[in-house]
Amino acid sequence: NDALCNRQFHRTMASPRFTDTLREAAGEQWDRVITHKFTKELAAGTIDRNVLKKYLIQDYRFLDAFVILLASMVAHARNLEDRIPGCQFLAIITGKENTYFERAFEKLDCSAEERDETPFAACATGFINLMKTVAKEGTLGEMLSVLVVCEWSYLSWGEIVLESTNRDDFVTFEWVDLHSGPFFVDVVNYLRSLLDKEGELIDEAGRRACKERFLQAIQLEEDFFDFAYE
């Protein structure tokens, strides 16, 4: 019995985190997203402001869907302890980040009328549909899979460029700051830990569903950065 317990213990210790297996499934696409030229030009402050405006108009459009998804995840979390950090992050998303958009649009001379008249990009519509569908019909694991892609991929590029970020214009450096630093690291660790836990509790079909959502989301992240330059 002791030998069996030891083998099981070592197997458990050697098992990769569920979130690491999902990232590995994304392969080179994950690396393309976190090293995309958009992130490098943004940090350097050299990004064409029309490219940035194009990106921010579409990004702002799925803020509401993101809030719906995050709130749904909080509601479906397994206990109060798992809910509280999500609630705190929800307050940040609807506060400081929302203020950034308003100030950035003003600095970029992008009026509400211009934003309203700009057609929805396919990547924005895709993200909105994915977030709302998963929030309404998905499992907790599927919700977390989409959230983890959104936040972990942004933390990954944010941490890469943080030290070299130009501090001349808030429209570029604040977007980096919002996606790096100790608080955001804690957010990503929280989301990953919940998804890792789900990976242990759900069956193989549930894990496959999580992988499908994860890969859908990383494809949309790459599409989103590419779209800004079209």
Side-chain angles (χ1 to χ4, degrees):
N1 285 342
D2 287 344
L4 177 61
C5 288
N6 284 334
R7 284 198 301 273
Q8 289 174 335
F9 172 78
H10 287 299
R11 260 203 311 272
T12 300
M13 291 298 290
S15 298
R17 295 179 63 174
F18 183 47
T19 50
D20 282 331
T21 66
L22 294 176
R23 181 187 59 184
E24 288 167 8
E28 293 181 358
Q29 188 168 42
W30 180 273
D31 296 330
R32 290 198 303 270
V33 168
I34 68 170
T35 59
H36 197 281
K37 69 175 181 178
F38 179 95
T39 68
K40 296 174 183 177
E41 292 178 356
L42 179 80
T46 59
I47 192 166
D48 186 304
R49 293 310 190 257
N50 288 324
V51 168
L52 181 57
K53 181 167 71 171
K54 187 177 180 181
Y55 164 89
L56 289 176
I57 287 173
Q58 301 297 333
D59 194 276
Y60 188 62
R61 285 177 167 165
F62 65 76
L63 180 60
D64 182 54
F66 185 87
V67 168
I68 291 169
L69 175 58
L70 182 56
S72 185
M73 185 281 291
V74 168
H76 285 81
R78 293 180 179 268
N79 53 57
L80 179 62
E81 183 181 2
D82 288 349
R83 292 188 228 282
I84 290 174
C87 293
Q88 293 167 338
F89 184 43
L90 196 55
I92 295 292
I93 290 295
T94 54
K96 187 176 181 181
E97 183 162 325
N98 194 44
T99 301
Y100 163 81
F101 279 111
E102 294 168 358
R103 291 183 293 113
F105 286 138
E106 182 177 357
K107 179 72 180 293
L108 295 169
D109 195 25
C110 182
S111 66
E113 290 75 20
E114 180 181 358
R115 300 197 297 275
D116 290 343
E117 291 169 3
T118 301
F120 273 74
C123 51
T125 302
F127 246 137
I128 290 167
N129 290 341
L130 175 62
M131 289 176 179
K132 287 187 174 181
T133 298
V134 171
K136 184 177 181 181
E137 303 171 5
T139 63
L140 175 59
E142 289 176 82
M143 295 176 202
L144 285 163
S145 295
V146 176
L147 290 168
V148 164
V149 169
C150 293
E151 305 314 295
W152 191 15
S153 67
Y154 267 57
L155 173 66
S156 297
W157 70 252
E159 295 285 279
I160 289 171
V161 302
L162 181 59
E163 287 189 7
S164 61
T165 296
N166 181 287
R167 295 279 159 184
D168 291 340
D169 188 350
F170 82 87
V171 297
T172 56
F173 74 74
E174 279 195 21
W175 196 241
V176 175
D177 291 347
L178 282 166
H179 299 101
S180 57
F183 175 78
F184 198 59
V185 169
D186 287 346
V187 167
V188 172
N189 287 340
Y190 155 71
L191 293 171
R192 286 189 65 194
S193 68
L194 290 188
L195 184 51
D196 287 337
K197 183 166 67 174
E198 286 303 300
E200 296 175 358
L201 296 173
I202 58 181
D203 60 16
E204 188 57 36
R207 287 189 285 272
R208 284 196 302 269
C210 289
K211 178 181 175 182
E212 181 180 351
R213 297 304 190 186
F214 191 97
L215 296 179
Q216 284 178 305
I218 197 64
Q219 179 64 61
L220 287 165
E221 291 289 7
E222 184 173 25
D223 291 347
F224 215 88
F225 282 150
D226 288 345
F227 160 79
Y229 290 91
E230 292 174 357

